[in-house]
Amino acid sequence: MKTFKNIMGYVVPIVVGLLIALLIKQYWFTLVRVDGTSMDPNLYDTEQVFVMRSESIHRGSVIVFDAFGENPEETSTKNYVKRVIAVAGDKLSAKNGVLKVNGKTIDQSYISKSEQKATNEINNVGNWNNLLELAKRQGWQKNENTIVVPKGKYFVLGDHRSVSNDSRYWGFVDKSKVMGVVKAGFWTNKTQQININDQWQTFFAK
């Protein structure tokens, strides 16, 4: 009997600890590793970040979501880390690297001027020609230069615009696919913490 009590004295705390850890992971936060360079220079490949499951999502929030079913190229569960640019009902436009939501210019100081206007062989990032074509096919377009975000959806971009595979190519992210809001850890530098954790608070240019 004494042996049993001694064993249980070890087992019970371990079980309770595991249950608490599972509850925290399920309902509060978890750690996720960034895969790729689409959020450079604010998040780096293999960097660990917190994902807050109950955090409210705003324009400018960085989120983790499952891209399976969103990006047709993904054939199984794949977590993407991107920045929310527009939410349901927002009217979004881009011209020469200037992003506007509902007619207001977005403050993009978290990335370089060159990256705002960056181009690659597939897409003119500053003007989003491919997105306008996608919008026409999907019926998202409000007028010639404006996209309207549907109900229950988010428009997302990577901070490394010239390489990021994001809403410009395959469309919007459904709310049900979002795991949570990313928070840079204490191990990151101050600039990263501001650009990831607090950028949504100063989303629009003054």
Side-chain angles (χ1 to χ4, degrees):
M1 190 67 175
K2 186 176 180 180
T3 302
F4 176 77
K5 287 182 178 180
N6 288 338
I7 293 172
M8 292 305 293
Y10 288 106
V11 171
V12 171
I14 292 172
V15 171
V16 171
L18 287 173
L19 287 173
I20 291 172
L22 287 171
L23 287 171
I24 288 173
K25 184 176 181 179
Q26 183 68 29
Y27 297 106
W28 189 16
F29 74 87
T30 189
L31 280 172
V32 168
R33 190 187 74 168
V34 177
D35 183 14
T37 62
S38 72
M39 286 299 292
D40 282 359
N42 295 308
L43 291 175
Y44 301 112
D45 185 29
T46 73
E47 185 171 345
Q48 295 280 344
V49 295
F50 291 109
V51 178
M52 311 304 292
R53 294 187 179 277
S54 59
E55 186 91 5
S56 297
I57 298 173
H58 307 272
R59 303 180 191 94
S61 296
V62 177
I63 62 172
V64 174
F65 61 93
D66 181 4
F68 176 60
E70 308 296 88
N71 179 3
E73 295 181 356
E74 299 296 349
T75 57
S76 60
T77 295
K78 176 71 172 180
N79 287 336
Y80 280 15
V81 180
K82 307 291 180 185
R83 188 181 298 276
V84 174
I85 301 298
V87 300
D90 281 346
K91 298 176 183 178
L92 176 70
S93 65
K95 185 175 182 181
N96 297 324
V98 177
L99 289 180
K100 290 188 177 182
V101 171
N102 301 327
K104 295 181 178 180
T105 300
I106 297 172
D107 177 6
Q108 298 184 84
S109 58
Y110 52 87
I111 59 175
S112 67
K113 291 287 186 182
S114 61
E115 197 62 34
Q116 292 174 35
K117 297 183 179 181
T119 60
N120 58 33
E121 60 185 19
I122 298 175
N123 185 42
N124 183 325
V125 180
N127 293 302
W128 301 349
N129 295 334
N130 286 359
L131 179 63
L132 291 176
E133 295 172 8
L134 183 63
K136 289 177 182 178
R137 292 199 301 271
Q138 299 291 349
W140 305 331
Q141 202 164 356
K142 188 69 175 178
N143 58 48
E144 186 176 346
N145 298 307
T146 304
I147 306 301
V148 177
V149 182
K151 183 178 179 179
K153 305 284 186 177
Y154 300 106
F155 182 92
V156 300
L157 293 176
D159 288 354
H160 195 178
R161 301 280 167 78
S162 56
V163 305
S164 178
N165 185 5
D166 48 40
S167 287
R168 293 167 296 171
Y169 299 97
W170 38 259
F172 305 103
V173 174
D174 193 87
K175 185 178 181 180
S176 66
K177 291 285 188 173
V178 179
M179 180 189 299
V181 175
V182 170
K183 295 296 181 183
F186 59 85
W187 52 85
T188 62
N189 63 51
K190 189 65 175 178
T191 298
Q192 284 180 281
Q193 291 179 36
I194 292 172
N195 289 344
I196 296 299
N197 299 353
D198 304 319
Q199 186 61 41
W200 65 270
Q201 298 185 56
T202 55
F203 183 72
F204 291 112
K206 299 298 184 183

